[in-house]
Amino acid sequence: MIRHDYSRVDPKRRANIDYKKRQFAKAEFQQQTYEHRLNYYGIPPTAEITLDEFETWAIDRLKVLSELEACSFRNRNPEETAEHMTGILAKYLPLRSNSSRSQNLQDERRKDHYSHFILRLAFSSTEDLRRRFARLETMLFRLRFRNDDLDERKRFVEGLKLDWEEVTEEEKREFKEEMAAASGARKGEVQEWFKVDWERVPELVEQRRVLLKRGMAFVPQREQMSLVVAEFTRRLDDALELTARALPRLDEDDRLAPILAHLSQSFATPDAAYSSSDANIDGLSAPTAASIDTLSQHFPLCMQNLHQALRRDSHLKHYGRLQYSLFLKGIGLSLEECLLFWRRSFKLITDEKFTKEYKYNIRHVYGDVGGDANRRGRGYTPYSCQKILTEPLPGPGQSHGCPYRTFAPDNLLAMLQNTGVNDRDLLKTVREDVGKQRYHVACNRVFDWAHKKEIKKVKDDGSWSAADLDTIVHPNTYFKRGWLLKHLGDGNAGLVGGGDKMEE
Amino acid sequence: MPHSISPESTPGEDSSQTVSQPNTLKAESPDVNMSDAPSPAVVPEIKEDTAKVNLEELFDDDDDDEEFPSSAPAIKSEVESSQPMPIQISSRSTYSDPEIMRAFYQRLFPFRPLFQWLNHSPQPSNDFAHREFAFTLPNDAYLRYQSFPTADLLRKQCIQLLPSRFEIGPVYSTNPRDRKTLRKASAFRPIAKELVFDIDMTDYDDIRTCCTGASICHKCWAFITMAIKVVDVALRDDFGFKHIMWVYSGRRGAHAWVCDKRAREMDDSKRRAIAGYLELLKGGDKGGKKVNVRRPLHPHLDRSLNILKDHFQTSILYEQDPWSSEKSAHLLQLLPDASLKAALQKKWDSAPSRPSHMKWADIDTAAKSGALSKSSKDLLEAKQDIVLEYTYPRLDAEVSKKLNHLLKSPFVVHPGTGRVCVPIDTRKVEEFDPLEVPTVTQLLTEIDEWQGEDTDKKLADWEKTSLKPYVDFFRGFVAGLLKDEKSGVKRERDDGAEAMEF
């Protein structure tokens, strides 16, 4: 089994001072030496550092983590992320390999070690922070693990003493073909395999990249990363939980607490949050169930798709309804109007069925019913692109999600053409973007094209700042900006009713 | 049900506390109809919804009312009193009529095996007591977080509330009924539940040609049969689960309950992993090709393909005939080769009425005659993908991914069809016929018509009906599960004892 207990100081060694002298004795801790570049952060640091170091180290690590988070928001793939992060890591948190023979090897590792534990203290207080911290630390670990020198990585893994069984020669012979097929190995590639309970490698199981036999997973050596990373996350999660419990009893003067509080606050930049100000659009009087059809021309493609599917089938499945209702709520449609909208849209079903099966859900979304937390929070917040892009893909009959991601390219282009995007070059670049999984880049590109005249105008007369034209990462922002741009001429927008302008 | 159509009858006082079967009321004078409305027969937790429902409950719950404060013996007397009374099933009665549901819960529903199944031991334990049940009441209210220490109390509650169906949720860390008294919300969390799967015919609507929506026939049941075969073998051979029970969902689908201890204790990420492992078809209506898999095929897919190949020939090509006339466009879309497509298009345009199996064969013929510009390996892979798209199980994966998802209990009655949600024997999955599954009314008639053989043994009511083989199967399944649980516990204790010796 995995050994957890080496983080404890040996009791015999701890009590080797005469008890009478103990209170005057200075605690002696051994300065840790760091053999490996990578660290599982099993043992907390014990030596002294200055307050200044405490703060700067933590901030440096925080910078690295927030860059990593930004990468995941932009849907960068691992290679792009690695490329982007190289410079940042070198600047804030360098960590060289043994083979580099650098002078500062131990110092670098010490900084890495200490800063990790400082942030652990700062981010263990709430469930949300813990989860986010664990996710980002895992990303960082994975990144470093990938870049690590092969030889050193091997030694690091051996040092971990994870228990995995070797696959016997007999099994190798018996399952050779199947193992190769499961792992997608090329022919002739010689591989070592090991055997673990499948629960240890859920990621690989989910993607069908290991062979399973009676609950055992046959994992090829090169997939070991996933195992090591999973173990890292698991231990970190446990440790964070423990830290959280110890936090109230932290024997602390008032020097560290403010720093920690400050750190955790500055980390709390929410994921592309929807702000309620998005709902207040100058000049757009409160939308009604009847005005959605006209407004839908300003919707982003994901919502246009849902709208079309709804009009076509007079029905949407659960996740589609959820995504669309939230968006509608985000543009300021009231609960009453929203209920009316869905009631009218579901033409084929009876009032009774609607009341029974759908009404509650819509009210729940608005926070009209449900548990205390839901009501106080006024229901759910509208989904951001990030959320929509990381949801499970739609199944048969479902139409939620981001069309740039879920549609086959040909269908996507056909749909874009239907909505009036007919620039050949643009469509070609969209296809390339989508191929590279840069879905929101493609979406923004389409937006810029569709509003190019207006964007030029506001840029020229300087009425909009650059921040107003930042990349769109939320469907509601897409709508708001699109609508405002198309109604630039109406200087007295606030006075004219929204409905009148729709008919222009 | 004479009384149910007379909601306007005014309630007045009446002495009759004796008769519980409403069909005897028919003969009596109208003032019997105006029986004991003020009596508090309705269970306090339910809001009285409609006058009709309310009235029915008032009529029927006389004896329940009596026994409400007391315990088990009362139930017994109730059973006996209902025993001789034949239940008349008229053509007008629907499956969720209170009398029918009451008789069903009193006489047919196998509460004991159900208890043992969820309790994993004969002595009541927290596995059962902390388990959430959720009732759908006759007025369509939904009552969550119910829990019961024993099978008898569950039974009693069912007879009182007459739920049209009930669902089973996870085992919680504390009793679900106490959840609001806890100081910390985090002390109430789900800790274990069977791994469940839900296969529903609606997910097949785009490839199903024989029926749509809620209706099914033998032809489309084949989809479910295929799904059961593929998923069952994967769960057993790949994941090593042993105690897997498949249950007919009552209308057009099937549920699986994986009851191994190892499966019950999985967290969400592991459930998600299994669901992902078994899920193949991705993409909505506009996603284009739904099957995108690596080659060589993963052993699980390879095995599935071997199972599904034969079904594809019969169930899909001949019975479903998915590419008749214009629908062949979809088939063409799935083929990779432009010149082959053109050749086939030409051929099929001239003879649009060709059945699907001939069109399928045409692909190979056309390829051999030289219309193929890509390698034959590409074509073979494309054909494999098509077979998978049309036959591979379509799971409602969200159900499986969450530990706290509720799923309808086995053996409840489907309110729409009246059929009992019976277990399916996977050894004879081909023989299972959803249209032969007994309905609740049919079962009650069988009890009445049953002519006892001359045996001393008193038979339980379910043994007199066609529900017997299903209950027997369920009991066998539960016995197997209990045996494994017991030996597991024993082994754990032995291990502990050894460790103590040091």
Side-chain angles (χ1 to χ4, degrees):
Chain A
M1 274 316 290
I2 304 145
R3 292 177 196 163
H4 296 287
D5 42 0
Y6 54 74
S7 59
R8 289 283 174 90
V9 182
D10 187 347
K12 280 177 194 156
R13 207 182 304 161
R14 197 169 47 192
N16 60 359
I17 338 171
D18 180 1
Y19 69 96
K20 283 179 188 158
K21 293 182 190 159
R22 194 183 295 164
Q23 56 177 322
F24 306 110
K26 216 170 165 235
E28 268 181 74
F29 295 106
Q30 199 185 2
Q31 181 70 43
Q32 269 184 49
T33 53
Y34 302 95
E35 269 180 59
H36 306 292
R37 174 174 174 262
L38 295 166
N39 195 337
Y40 249 40
Y41 308 112
I43 309 170
T46 46
E48 283 184 7
I49 57 171
T50 67
L51 212 52
D52 194 34
E53 280 172 327
F54 185 88
E55 191 164 4
T56 48
W57 287 359
I59 290 175
D60 282 349
R61 192 181 191 89
L62 198 55
K63 280 187 180 136
V64 170
L65 293 186
S66 15
E67 274 304 319
L68 264 179
E69 187 166 47
C71 284
S72 83
F73 284 163
R74 298 199 180 111
N75 274 307
R76 290 211 163 108
N77 61 28
E79 285 76 33
E80 287 168 339
T81 309
E83 195 187 310
H84 179 80
M85 292 304 294
T86 323
I88 292 160
L89 279 171
K91 188 169 168 204
Y92 294 110
L93 212 55
L95 205 56
R96 272 179 279 255
S97 63
N98 289 342
S99 54
S100 76
R101 301 183 187 285
S102 156
Q103 294 290 317
N104 307 327
L105 217 56
Q106 289 299 320
D107 287 344
E108 284 172 359
R109 291 176 187 180
R110 200 155 66 100
K111 179 177 174 185
D112 176 59
H113 184 207
Y114 281 59
S115 60
H116 171 89
F117 273 94
I118 298 167
L119 290 195
R120 220 190 245 194
L121 274 182
F123 299 129
S124 60
S125 53
T126 69
E127 173 77 37
D128 255 7
L129 280 175
R130 283 201 293 274
R131 207 179 313 131
R132 210 154 133 229
F133 179 66
R135 190 174 47 132
L136 294 176
E137 278 289 333
T138 309
M139 279 174 72
L140 181 62
F141 182 83
R142 190 195 302 265
L143 186 71
R144 285 174 168 170
F145 193 84
R146 282 166 63 100
N147 301 344
D148 206 7
D149 182 84
L150 274 181
D151 212 35
E152 281 179 46
R153 182 157 84 189
K154 197 164 165 234
R155 258 179 286 138
F156 170 71
V157 171
E158 276 164 10
L160 289 177
K161 305 209 173 49
L162 303 164
D163 84 310
W164 39 49
E165 259 177 78
E166 287 286 308
V167 173
T168 61
E169 285 302 318
E170 195 181 325
E171 282 171 323
K172 259 187 215 167
R173 232 172 297 121
E174 192 182 344
F175 301 132
K176 197 173 143 212
E177 299 284 305
E178 284 176 303
M179 286 198 294
S183 65
R186 279 168 295 275
K187 269 203 182 104
E189 196 179 338
V190 184
Q191 285 227 11
E192 278 307 302
W193 303 80
F194 52 92
K195 218 163 60 162
V196 292
D197 283 345
W198 76 265
E199 282 99 337
R200 298 268 305 274
V201 283
E203 252 178 86
L204 295 178
V205 171
E206 186 170 358
Q207 296 163 12
R208 275 195 298 268
R209 278 176 29 208
V210 284
L211 172 70
L212 289 180
K213 286 276 171 208
R214 304 238 152 244
M216 296 302 267
F218 290 70
V219 185
Q221 190 73 40
R222 68 184 153 81
E223 299 284 9
Q224 136 205 101
M225 177 166 106
S226 135
L227 264 171
V228 175
V229 171
E231 185 61 28
F232 176 83
T233 318
R234 204 185 58 74
R235 290 192 191 180
L236 182 58
D237 282 343
D238 289 354
L240 279 171
E241 193 77 25
L242 286 176
T243 316
R245 263 184 250 164
L247 208 56
R249 291 191 296 278
L250 192 65
D251 184 17
E252 219 288 286
D253 50 31
D254 48 5
R255 291 177 305 167
L256 296 188
I259 299 178
L260 290 178
H262 181 244
L263 282 173
S264 62
Q265 271 164 19
S266 61
F267 190 48
T269 49
D271 314 29
Y274 160 79
S275 65
S276 52
S277 67
D278 280 3
N280 305 324
I281 302 175
D282 289 341
L284 175 63
S285 66
T288 61
S291 65
I292 298 298
D293 274 324
T294 17
L295 287 178
S296 71
Q297 55 173 319
H298 302 291
F299 288 179
L301 202 61
C302 45
M303 302 303 165
Q304 283 200 29
N305 176 36
L306 286 170
H307 192 77
Q308 286 170 12
L310 177 65
R311 288 289 173 249
R312 186 184 63 229
D313 307 333
S314 297
H315 192 266
L316 276 184
K317 291 209 169 188
H318 175 79
Y319 288 104
R321 287 201 305 277
L322 191 61
Q323 182 179 331
Y324 199 33
S325 303
L326 284 170
F327 173 77
L328 294 176
K329 176 182 157 191
I331 69 170
L333 195 70
S334 65
L335 172 60
E336 290 69 33
E337 288 295 328
C338 192
L339 284 170
L340 194 65
F341 170 75
W342 285 111
R343 178 63 282 245
R344 282 189 197 156
S345 305
F346 284 15
K347 286 196 221 56
L348 306 176
I349 61 165
T350 60
D351 275 341
E352 192 196 353
K353 189 169 152 85
F354 182 79
T355 313
K356 232 168 79 181
E357 294 180 20
Y358 302 106
K359 202 171 168 187
Y360 186 88
N361 261 325
I362 300 165
R363 291 175 62 203
H364 200 265
V365 160
Y366 274 77
D368 194 39
V369 286
D372 192 37
N374 187 43
R375 289 170 148 201
R376 233 180 313 161
R378 310 236 173 112
Y380 320 162
T381 39
Y383 286 171
S384 63
C385 294
Q386 160 80 356
K387 169 86 177 152
I388 293 173
L389 282 171
T390 48
E391 289 267 281
L393 285 168
Q398 296 181 317
S399 1
H400 64 268
C402 171
Y404 292 97
R405 171 170 174 246
T406 59
F407 279 31
D410 288 338
N411 291 336
L412 173 68
L413 296 194
M415 170 154 191
L416 280 172
Q417 277 165 334
N418 280 340
T419 56
V421 181
N422 44 26
D423 187 317
R424 275 170 167 272
D425 292 338
L426 176 75
L427 291 174
K428 215 176 120 205
T429 21
V430 165
R431 189 190 275 273
E432 282 167 16
D433 286 337
V434 170
K436 287 183 198 149
Q437 305 191 317
R438 290 185 178 148
Y439 309 117
H440 81 286
V441 175
C443 185
N444 274 289
R445 213 183 281 287
V446 170
F447 181 88
D448 290 347
W449 180 86
H451 302 86
K452 59 175 182 281
K453 245 184 14 219
E454 293 81 2
I455 292 180
K456 190 169 178 310
K457 195 172 156 219
V458 292
K459 268 192 187 155
D460 287 350
D461 64 16
S463 53
W464 287 33
S465 68
D468 289 333
L469 291 164
D470 202 13
T471 315
I472 298 172
V473 289
H474 200 296
N476 285 96
T477 321
Y478 187 107
F479 171 75
K480 181 182 181 182
R481 195 181 296 172
W483 195 87
L484 287 176
L485 284 172
K486 288 290 180 194
H487 295 78
L488 278 176
D490 327 328
N492 49 354
L495 303 172
V496 187
D500 302 331
K501 278 182 286 154
M502 294 300 119
E503 283 137 29
E504 288 172 356
Chain B
M1 303 178 315
H3 63 281
S4 65
I5 46 164
S6 58
E8 71 276 10
S9 62
T10 42
E13 77 247 45
D14 189 280
S15 59
S16 92
Q17 284 281 314
T18 50
V19 195
S20 70
Q21 289 301 328
N23 38 7
T24 55
L25 293 174
K26 201 190 291 182
E28 297 180 43
S29 59
D31 56 342
V32 179
N33 255 348
M34 316 190 276
S35 74
D36 45 0
S39 90
V42 185
V43 182
E45 287 169 33
I46 313 155
K47 295 209 178 83
E48 302 157 10
D49 213 8
T50 64
K52 186 182 162 195
V53 173
N54 194 357
L55 207 63
E56 282 173 0
E57 283 174 358
L58 291 177
F59 270 98
D60 305 332
D61 283 4
D62 294 359
D63 42 8
D64 286 347
D65 187 30
E66 261 173 303
E67 49 132 83
F68 187 59
S70 95
S71 56
I75 293 175
K76 210 174 156 208
S77 72
E78 186 184 48
V79 175
E80 279 159 10
S81 79
S82 70
Q83 205 92 325
M85 212 79 74
I87 291 150
Q88 275 157 23
I89 293 137
S90 67
S91 55
R92 281 189 310 160
S93 39
T94 62
Y95 300 116
S96 45
D97 265 351
E99 301 78 37
I100 290 178
M101 289 318 287
R102 170 170 301 108
F104 175 71
Y105 287 121
Q106 275 180 344
R107 309 176 72 168
L108 290 168
F109 194 94
F111 284 102
R112 250 159 220 296
L114 186 89
F115 165 78
Q116 296 197 331
W117 170 50
L118 298 175
N119 191 55
H120 314 115
S121 110
Q123 288 87 33
S125 72
N126 282 346
D127 276 9
F128 189 80
H130 290 180
R131 171 79 76 160
E132 174 183 358
F133 290 87
F135 292 104
T136 306
L137 301 178
N139 58 12
D140 276 333
Y142 191 59
L143 200 59
R144 280 197 63 181
Y145 299 116
Q146 304 297 298
S147 65
F148 305 93
T150 64
D152 280 344
L153 289 170
L154 170 64
R155 176 174 181 275
K156 200 172 139 196
Q157 182 80 316
C158 282
I159 294 168
Q160 268 178 359
L161 298 181
L162 302 179
S164 55
R165 59 172 189 260
F166 64 87
E167 295 179 323
I168 298 177
V171 179
Y172 285 92
S173 49
T174 44
N175 191 328
R177 287 188 191 269
D178 300 337
R179 69 192 186 287
K180 288 196 171 153
T181 64
L182 297 169
R183 259 220 243 118
K184 275 197 299 180
S186 58
F188 181 67
R189 61 196 151 73
I191 49 178
K193 198 197 63 187
E194 288 75 11
L195 170 68
V196 293
F197 293 93
D198 181 7
I199 303 169
D200 194 292
M201 203 72 88
T202 32
D203 295 323
Y204 288 88
D205 272 351
D206 62 326
I207 52 169
R208 181 159 76 129
T209 58
C210 49
C211 319
T212 52
S215 54
I216 60 156
C217 65
H218 292 116
K219 283 184 191 172
C220 44
W221 185 255
F223 283 117
I224 305 291
T225 310
M226 291 186 259
I228 293 179
K229 280 186 172 174
V230 168
V231 174
D232 194 72
V233 71
L235 290 173
R236 284 178 206 276
D237 290 359
D238 295 356
F239 292 96
F241 296 132
K242 275 192 247 151
H243 302 283
I244 304 165
M245 178 170 66
W246 289 87
V247 180
Y248 174 49
S249 73
R251 205 206 294 260
R252 51 176 169 173
H255 301 156
W257 295 80
V258 186
C259 311
D260 297 57
K261 197 173 177 62
R262 199 173 169 189
R264 295 202 307 267
E265 288 169 354
M266 291 192 301
D267 58 18
D268 281 356
S269 72
K270 298 195 183 94
R271 285 168 203 262
R272 205 169 46 234
I274 295 191
Y277 183 83
L278 294 174
E279 216 182 1
L280 179 66
L281 278 68
K282 290 271 162 70
D285 300 337
K286 293 259 175 83
K289 212 155 154 270
K290 289 200 178 67
V291 179
N292 293 296
V293 283
R294 269 185 301 115
R295 310 285 163 168
L297 283 176
H298 185 278
H300 160 63
L301 295 179
D302 197 42
R303 176 189 55 208
S304 304
L305 195 63
N306 279 330
I307 299 174
L308 295 168
K309 248 181 342 207
D310 299 339
H311 288 281
F312 181 75
Q313 285 296 334
T314 52
S315 305
I316 303 298
L317 291 182
Y318 283 91
E319 288 174 8
Q320 294 291 341
D321 195 9
W323 304 306
S324 60
S325 56
E326 297 94 56
K327 276 182 279 182
S328 56
H330 185 65
L331 174 59
L332 285 175
Q333 202 192 323
L334 295 172
L335 290 172
D337 192 315
S339 60
L340 179 67
K341 269 191 214 175
L344 290 171
Q345 178 86 62
K346 213 171 120 203
K347 181 163 189 179
W348 294 343
D349 279 347
S350 59
S353 59
R354 271 174 95 77
S356 296
H357 66 96
M358 291 173 81
K359 284 182 178 165
W360 183 249
D362 285 345
I363 298 175
D364 276 345
T365 330
K368 271 193 202 117
S369 64
L372 192 65
S373 60
K374 290 191 178 172
S375 73
S376 60
K377 190 164 153 276
D378 284 343
L379 182 66
L380 178 70
E381 288 176 1
K383 282 178 71 182
Q384 285 178 339
D385 286 352
I386 294 171
V387 173
L388 287 173
E389 173 166 343
Y390 278 84
T391 53
Y392 191 85
R394 301 178 170 201
L395 301 171
D396 186 350
E398 293 307 312
V399 177
S400 313
K401 287 177 186 170
K402 286 270 180 335
L403 174 59
N404 57 1
H405 208 289
L406 294 139
L407 191 67
K408 191 160 59 161
S409 161
F411 287 102
V412 300
V413 173
H414 188 289
T417 62
R419 296 193 194 284
V420 178
C421 301
V422 294
I424 301 170
D425 188 346
T426 39
R427 288 163 299 181
K428 294 182 276 186
V429 60
E430 302 269 2
E431 295 162 31
F432 185 85
D433 181 355
L435 304 176
E436 293 283 297
V437 170
T439 63
V440 57
T441 41
Q442 181 192 333
L443 290 172
L444 295 175
T445 324
E446 280 171 9
I447 301 180
D448 296 338
E449 285 167 358
W450 186 75
Q451 304 293 322
E453 290 109 50
D454 294 330
T455 48
D456 301 334
K457 215 177 87 191
K458 195 162 178 284
L459 287 177
D461 275 335
W462 57 264
E463 288 179 278
K464 304 169 188 168
T465 66
S466 49
L467 198 61
K468 184 174 189 305
Y470 300 110
V471 177
D472 283 340
F473 175 80
F474 184 49
R475 299 213 303 184
F477 174 81
V478 173
L481 177 64
L482 288 192
K483 209 172 133 207
D484 261 20
E485 291 289 325
K486 214 168 111 197
S487 61
V489 170
K490 210 172 148 209
R491 204 178 309 127
E492 269 169 34
R493 204 185 299 137
D494 288 352
D495 287 353
E498 268 174 28
M500 295 293 280
E501 277 175 11
F502 292 106

